[in-house]
Amino acid sequence: MRIVVLVSGTGSNLQAVIDAIGAGRLPVEIAAVGADRPGTLGVERSAAAGLETFVIDFKTFSTRGEWDAALLAAVARYAPDYVVSSGFMRIVAADFIDAFPGRYVNTHPALLPAFPGAHGVRDALAYGVKVTGCTVHFADAGVDTGPIIAQTAVAVLPEDTEESLHERIKLAERSLLIRVLADLAAAPGLWCGNKQDDGGNHQ
Ligand code: GRF
């Protein structure tokens, strides 16, 4: 199973995937890693691991449509089975979703549909929930919407800050993402982006 991974930041979840592949625990090939801005640690880590990388720098495009088209072309070039948004902080265009139907996977640091958006950890903490977590889902053109594949709950501790909670969520998120990718590799197309396909609970 070939994947392209998209990142915007530190890429610690991506690093866990790279390590799992390196340790022979995940039968997946990372065809390339792409970012929406230059200088991300995620791309640095990927290059250090000998992976192909590309940057489609949002700031260098005069229109959103041009950036959308460039991102789609860059990813499609690798003909991936799945595209994984791992801390990729951009919503992709409908054309992108159409090009990879049921094959665009996103990770989010909250229990969707609660707390979507860029500040899922902060928002959960501010609301005062006692349990939050992470979600891996098939993304559509909305903000953290689309059929849920799997989730893990994480307890909120009284002393938690956004940083401490996010770090604990990321530990759960890494295992969850690796497990979902392993399941997809074992049964490609099983879920096809339609949560009613198998009626399963992938906890
Ligand atoms: C993850 O929690 C992801 O869900 C969120 O940003 C974080 C990315 O962390 N959108 P990293 O870049 O993998 O370290």
Side-chain angles (χ1 to χ4, degrees):
M1 182 172 100
R2 284 162 60 78
I3 62 173
V4 167
V5 182
L6 300 177
V7 296
S8 296
T10 59
S12 61
N13 289 350
L14 165 64
Q15 185 68 57
V17 172
I18 292 172
D19 293 345
I21 294 170
R25 289 190 288 116
L26 183 60
V28 166
E29 177 198 347
I30 300 178
V33 173
D36 60 335
R37 58 192 183 88
T40 60
L41 188 53
V43 162
E44 254 180 57
R45 291 176 193 271
S46 309
L51 298 172
E52 273 197 48
T53 63
F54 60 87
V55 176
I56 309 298
D57 187 356
F58 194 78
K59 291 205 172 125
T60 63
F61 288 81
S62 43
T63 67
R64 169 73 207 224
E66 285 169 35
W67 181 82
D68 285 331
L71 179 72
L72 175 50
V75 174
R77 201 175 140 239
Y78 293 97
D81 296 305
Y82 289 92
V83 183
V84 179
S85 157
S86 182
F88 188 57
M89 303 306 279
R90 305 258 175 213
I91 303 303
V92 297
D95 280 358
F96 191 97
I97 301 296
D98 291 346
F100 305 103
R103 297 191 289 130
Y104 184 43
V105 173
N106 181 45
T107 74
H108 182 72
L111 292 176
L112 294 173
F115 309 116
H119 304 293
V121 179
R122 185 188 307 171
D123 294 346
L125 199 55
Y127 194 93
V129 294
K130 303 303 175 210
V131 175
T132 181
C134 52
T135 302
V136 176
H137 66 107
F138 291 113
D140 59 22
V143 177
D144 298 318
T145 52
I148 291 170
I149 303 170
Q151 295 181 302
T152 302
V154 174
V156 180
L157 304 178
E159 66 273 23
D160 262 332
T161 61
E162 182 181 351
E163 291 68 33
S164 67
L165 180 56
H166 200 169
E167 275 315 306
R168 246 179 16 268
I169 289 172
K170 279 203 208 179
L171 292 178
E173 205 176 2
R174 286 168 200 152
S175 308
L176 190 67
L177 179 59
I178 290 167
R179 183 155 58 80
V180 166
L181 290 176
D183 284 353
L184 289 172
L190 175 64
W191 300 327
C192 299
N194 181 346
K195 64 182 168 187
Q196 279 157 4
D197 269 359
D198 66 353
N201 173 358
H202 298 282
Q203 279 294 324

mmCIF file with all atom_site columns, all heavy atoms in Angstrom, residues 98-110:
data_model
loop_
_atom_site.group_PDB
_atom_site.id
_atom_site.type_symbol
_atom_site.label_atom_id
_atom_site.label_alt_id
_atom_site.label_comp_id
_atom_site.label_asym_id
_atom_site.label_entity_id
_atom_site.label_seq_id
_atom_site.pdbx_PDB_ins_code
_atom_site.Cartn_x
_atom_site.Cartn_y
_atom_site.Cartn_z
_atom_site.occupancy
_atom_site.B_iso_or_equiv
_atom_site.pdbx_formal_charge
_atom_site.auth_seq_id
_atom_site.auth_comp_id
_atom_site.auth_asym_id
_atom_site.auth_atom_id
_atom_site.pdbx_PDB_model_num
ATOM 1   N N   . ASP A 1 98  ? -12.481 14.361 -4.646 1.00 0.00 ? 98  ASP A N   1
ATOM 2   C CA  . ASP A 1 98  ? -12.995 13.571 -5.770 1.00 0.00 ? 98  ASP A CA  1
ATOM 3   C C   . ASP A 1 98  ? -11.907 12.713 -6.405 1.00 0.00 ? 98  ASP A C   1
ATOM 4   O O   . ASP A 1 98  ? -12.179 11.630 -6.921 1.00 0.00 ? 98  ASP A O   1
ATOM 5   C CB  . ASP A 1 98  ? -13.583 14.501 -6.856 1.00 0.00 ? 98  ASP A CB  1
ATOM 6   C CG  . ASP A 1 98  ? -14.867 15.175 -6.374 1.00 0.00 ? 98  ASP A CG  1
ATOM 7   O OD1 . ASP A 1 98  ? -15.418 14.731 -5.342 1.00 0.00 ? 98  ASP A OD1 1
ATOM 8   O OD2 . ASP A 1 98  ? -15.295 16.155 -7.021 1.00 0.00 ? 98  ASP A OD2 1
ATOM 9   N N   . ALA A 1 99  ? -10.661 13.224 -6.355 1.00 0.00 ? 99  ALA A N   1
ATOM 10  C CA  . ALA A 1 99  ? -9.554  12.470 -6.956 1.00 0.00 ? 99  ALA A CA  1
ATOM 11  C C   . ALA A 1 99  ? -9.169  11.256 -6.109 1.00 0.00 ? 99  ALA A C   1
ATOM 12  O O   . ALA A 1 99  ? -8.621  10.281 -6.630 1.00 0.00 ? 99  ALA A O   1
ATOM 13  C CB  . ALA A 1 99  ? -8.339  13.382 -7.142 1.00 0.00 ? 99  ALA A CB  1
ATOM 14  N N   . PHE A 1 100 ? -9.457  11.333 -4.800 1.00 0.00 ? 100 PHE A N   1
ATOM 15  C CA  . PHE A 1 100 ? -9.101  10.231 -3.888 1.00 0.00 ? 100 PHE A CA  1
ATOM 16  C C   . PHE A 1 100 ? -10.335 9.842  -3.060 1.00 0.00 ? 100 PHE A C   1
ATOM 17  O O   . PHE A 1 100 ? -10.335 9.979  -1.837 1.00 0.00 ? 100 PHE A O   1
ATOM 18  C CB  . PHE A 1 100 ? -7.934  10.653 -2.974 1.00 0.00 ? 100 PHE A CB  1
ATOM 19  C CG  . PHE A 1 100 ? -6.732  11.128 -3.728 1.00 0.00 ? 100 PHE A CG  1
ATOM 20  C CD1 . PHE A 1 100 ? -6.443  12.482 -3.822 1.00 0.00 ? 100 PHE A CD1 1
ATOM 21  C CD2 . PHE A 1 100 ? -5.906  10.221 -4.379 1.00 0.00 ? 100 PHE A CD2 1
ATOM 22  C CE1 . PHE A 1 100 ? -5.341  12.927 -4.548 1.00 0.00 ? 100 PHE A CE1 1
ATOM 23  C CE2 . PHE A 1 100 ? -4.803  10.664 -5.111 1.00 0.00 ? 100 PHE A CE2 1
ATOM 24  C CZ  . PHE A 1 100 ? -4.522  12.014 -5.198 1.00 0.00 ? 100 PHE A CZ  1
ATOM 25  N N   . PRO A 1 101 ? -11.362 9.347  -3.723 1.00 0.00 ? 101 PRO A N   1
ATOM 26  C CA  . PRO A 1 101 ? -12.611 9.076  -3.005 1.00 0.00 ? 101 PRO A CA  1
ATOM 27  C C   . PRO A 1 101 ? -12.424 7.980  -1.950 1.00 0.00 ? 101 PRO A C   1
ATOM 28  O O   . PRO A 1 101 ? -11.940 6.892  -2.263 1.00 0.00 ? 101 PRO A O   1
ATOM 29  C CB  . PRO A 1 101 ? -13.573 8.623  -4.115 1.00 0.00 ? 101 PRO A CB  1
ATOM 30  C CG  . PRO A 1 101 ? -12.687 8.188  -5.238 1.00 0.00 ? 101 PRO A CG  1
ATOM 31  C CD  . PRO A 1 101 ? -11.411 8.958  -5.139 1.00 0.00 ? 101 PRO A CD  1
ATOM 32  N N   . GLY A 1 102 ? -12.783 8.300  -0.707 1.00 0.00 ? 102 GLY A N   1
ATOM 33  C CA  . GLY A 1 102 ? -12.619 7.322  0.375  1.00 0.00 ? 102 GLY A CA  1
ATOM 34  C C   . GLY A 1 102 ? -11.175 6.949  0.614  1.00 0.00 ? 102 GLY A C   1
ATOM 35  O O   . GLY A 1 102 ? -10.878 5.903  1.203  1.00 0.00 ? 102 GLY A O   1
ATOM 36  N N   . ARG A 1 103 ? -10.265 7.786  0.141  1.00 0.00 ? 103 ARG A N   1
ATOM 37  C CA  . ARG A 1 103 ? -8.841  7.439  0.270  1.00 0.00 ? 103 ARG A CA  1
ATOM 38  C C   . ARG A 1 103 ? -8.034  8.583  0.876  1.00 0.00 ? 103 ARG A C   1
ATOM 39  O O   . ARG A 1 103 ? -6.811  8.569  0.823  1.00 0.00 ? 103 ARG A O   1
ATOM 40  C CB  . ARG A 1 103 ? -8.286  7.022  -1.101 1.00 0.00 ? 103 ARG A CB  1
ATOM 41  C CG  . ARG A 1 103 ? -8.963  5.764  -1.627 1.00 0.00 ? 103 ARG A CG  1
ATOM 42  C CD  . ARG A 1 103 ? -8.288  5.171  -2.843 1.00 0.00 ? 103 ARG A CD  1
ATOM 43  N NE  . ARG A 1 103 ? -8.470  5.970  -4.026 1.00 0.00 ? 103 ARG A NE  1
ATOM 44  C CZ  . ARG A 1 103 ? -7.470  6.352  -4.825 1.00 0.00 ? 103 ARG A CZ  1
ATOM 45  N NH1 . ARG A 1 103 ? -6.222  6.027  -4.545 1.00 0.00 ? 103 ARG A NH1 1
ATOM 46  N NH2 . ARG A 1 103 ? -7.711  7.068  -5.893 1.00 0.00 ? 103 ARG A NH2 1
ATOM 47  N N   . TYR A 1 104 ? -8.734  9.578  1.419  1.00 0.00 ? 104 TYR A N   1
ATOM 48  C CA  . TYR A 1 104 ? -8.050  10.684 2.085  1.00 0.00 ? 104 TYR A CA  1
ATOM 49  C C   . TYR A 1 104 ? -8.336  10.560 3.578  1.00 0.00 ? 104 TYR A C   1
ATOM 50  O O   . TYR A 1 104 ? -9.481  10.707 4.030  1.00 0.00 ? 104 TYR A O   1
ATOM 51  C CB  . TYR A 1 104 ? -8.540  12.021 1.527  1.00 0.00 ? 104 TYR A CB  1
ATOM 52  C CG  . TYR A 1 104 ? -7.805  13.228 2.087  1.00 0.00 ? 104 TYR A CG  1
ATOM 53  C CD1 . TYR A 1 104 ? -6.422  13.210 2.243  1.00 0.00 ? 104 TYR A CD1 1
ATOM 54  C CD2 . TYR A 1 104 ? -8.495  14.383 2.445  1.00 0.00 ? 104 TYR A CD2 1
ATOM 55  C CE1 . TYR A 1 104 ? -5.749  14.320 2.765  1.00 0.00 ? 104 TYR A CE1 1
ATOM 56  C CE2 . TYR A 1 104 ? -7.829  15.491 2.948  1.00 0.00 ? 104 TYR A CE2 1
ATOM 57  C CZ  . TYR A 1 104 ? -6.453  15.444 3.110  1.00 0.00 ? 104 TYR A CZ  1
ATOM 58  O OH  . TYR A 1 104 ? -5.789  16.530 3.623  1.00 0.00 ? 104 TYR A OH  1
ATOM 59  N N   . VAL A 1 105 ? -7.298  10.242 4.338  1.00 0.00 ? 105 VAL A N   1
ATOM 60  C CA  . VAL A 1 105 ? -7.446  9.923  5.762  1.00 0.00 ? 105 VAL A CA  1
ATOM 61  C C   . VAL A 1 105 ? -6.858  11.063 6.585  1.00 0.00 ? 105 VAL A C   1
ATOM 62  O O   . VAL A 1 105 ? -5.757  11.543 6.299  1.00 0.00 ? 105 VAL A O   1
ATOM 63  C CB  . VAL A 1 105 ? -6.697  8.600  6.068  1.00 0.00 ? 105 VAL A CB  1
ATOM 64  C CG1 . VAL A 1 105 ? -6.681  8.306  7.562  1.00 0.00 ? 105 VAL A CG1 1
ATOM 65  C CG2 . VAL A 1 105 ? -7.324  7.437  5.302  1.00 0.00 ? 105 VAL A CG2 1
ATOM 66  N N   . ASN A 1 106 ? -7.599  11.495 7.604  1.00 0.00 ? 106 ASN A N   1
ATOM 67  C CA  . ASN A 1 106 ? -7.136  12.594 8.456  1.00 0.00 ? 106 ASN A CA  1
ATOM 68  C C   . ASN A 1 106 ? -7.077  12.132 9.914  1.00 0.00 ? 106 ASN A C   1
ATOM 69  O O   . ASN A 1 106 ? -7.859  11.286 10.336 1.00 0.00 ? 106 ASN A O   1
ATOM 70  C CB  . ASN A 1 106 ? -8.110  13.773 8.334  1.00 0.00 ? 106 ASN A CB  1
ATOM 71  C CG  . ASN A 1 106 ? -7.685  14.968 9.163  1.00 0.00 ? 106 ASN A CG  1
ATOM 72  O OD1 . ASN A 1 106 ? -6.514  15.352 9.165  1.00 0.00 ? 106 ASN A OD1 1
ATOM 73  N ND2 . ASN A 1 106 ? -8.615  15.558 9.884  1.00 0.00 ? 106 ASN A ND2 1
ATOM 74  N N   . THR A 1 107 ? -6.143  12.699 10.671 1.00 0.00 ? 107 THR A N   1
ATOM 75  C CA  . THR A 1 107 ? -6.136  12.467 12.113 1.00 0.00 ? 107 THR A CA  1
ATOM 76  C C   . THR A 1 107 ? -6.493  13.779 12.795 1.00 0.00 ? 107 THR A C   1
ATOM 77  O O   . THR A 1 107 ? -6.088  14.859 12.349 1.00 0.00 ? 107 THR A O   1
ATOM 78  C CB  . THR A 1 107 ? -4.759  12.005 12.627 1.00 0.00 ? 107 THR A CB  1
ATOM 79  O OG1 . THR A 1 107 ? -3.862  13.109 12.647 1.00 0.00 ? 107 THR A OG1 1
ATOM 80  C CG2 . THR A 1 107 ? -4.184  10.902 11.761 1.00 0.00 ? 107 THR A CG2 1
ATOM 81  N N   . HIS A 1 108 ? -7.242  13.680 13.880 1.00 0.00 ? 108 HIS A N   1
ATOM 82  C CA  . HIS A 1 108 ? -7.668  14.882 14.593 1.00 0.00 ? 108 HIS A CA  1
ATOM 83  C C   . HIS A 1 108 ? -7.561  14.649 16.098 1.00 0.00 ? 108 HIS A C   1
ATOM 84  O O   . HIS A 1 108 ? -7.986  13.599 16.579 1.00 0.00 ? 108 HIS A O   1
ATOM 85  C CB  . HIS A 1 108 ? -9.112  15.247 14.213 1.00 0.00 ? 108 HIS A CB  1
ATOM 86  C CG  . HIS A 1 108 ? -9.580  16.493 14.871 1.00 0.00 ? 108 HIS A CG  1
ATOM 87  N ND1 . HIS A 1 108 ? -9.125  17.749 14.513 1.00 0.00 ? 108 HIS A ND1 1
ATOM 88  C CD2 . HIS A 1 108 ? -10.433 16.695 15.908 1.00 0.00 ? 108 HIS A CD2 1
ATOM 89  C CE1 . HIS A 1 108 ? -9.682  18.656 15.285 1.00 0.00 ? 108 HIS A CE1 1
ATOM 90  N NE2 . HIS A 1 108 ? -10.470 18.039 16.151 1.00 0.00 ? 108 HIS A NE2 1
ATOM 91  N N   . PRO A 1 109 ? -7.034  15.637 16.852 1.00 0.00 ? 109 PRO A N   1
ATOM 92  C CA  . PRO A 1 109 ? -6.818  15.421 18.276 1.00 0.00 ? 109 PRO A CA  1
ATOM 93  C C   . PRO A 1 109 ? -8.032  15.733 19.154 1.00 0.00 ? 109 PRO A C   1
ATOM 94  O O   . PRO A 1 109 ? -7.923  16.482 20.117 1.00 0.00 ? 109 PRO A O   1
ATOM 95  C CB  . PRO A 1 109 ? -5.642  16.350 18.582 1.00 0.00 ? 109 PRO A CB  1
ATOM 96  C CG  . PRO A 1 109 ? -5.855  17.501 17.649 1.00 0.00 ? 109 PRO A CG  1
ATOM 97  C CD  . PRO A 1 109 ? -6.466  16.919 16.393 1.00 0.00 ? 109 PRO A CD  1
ATOM 98  N N   . ALA A 1 110 ? -9.174  15.163 18.804 1.00 0.00 ? 110 ALA A N   1
ATOM 99  C CA  . ALA A 1 110 ? -10.383 15.263 19.628 1.00 0.00 ? 110 ALA A CA  1
ATOM 100 C C   . ALA A 1 110 ? -11.326 14.155 19.177 1.00 0.00 ? 110 ALA A C   1
ATOM 101 O O   . ALA A 1 110 ? -11.112 13.537 18.127 1.00 0.00 ? 110 ALA A O   1
ATOM 102 C CB  . ALA A 1 110 ? -11.054 16.627 19.482 1.00 0.00 ? 110 ALA A CB  1
#
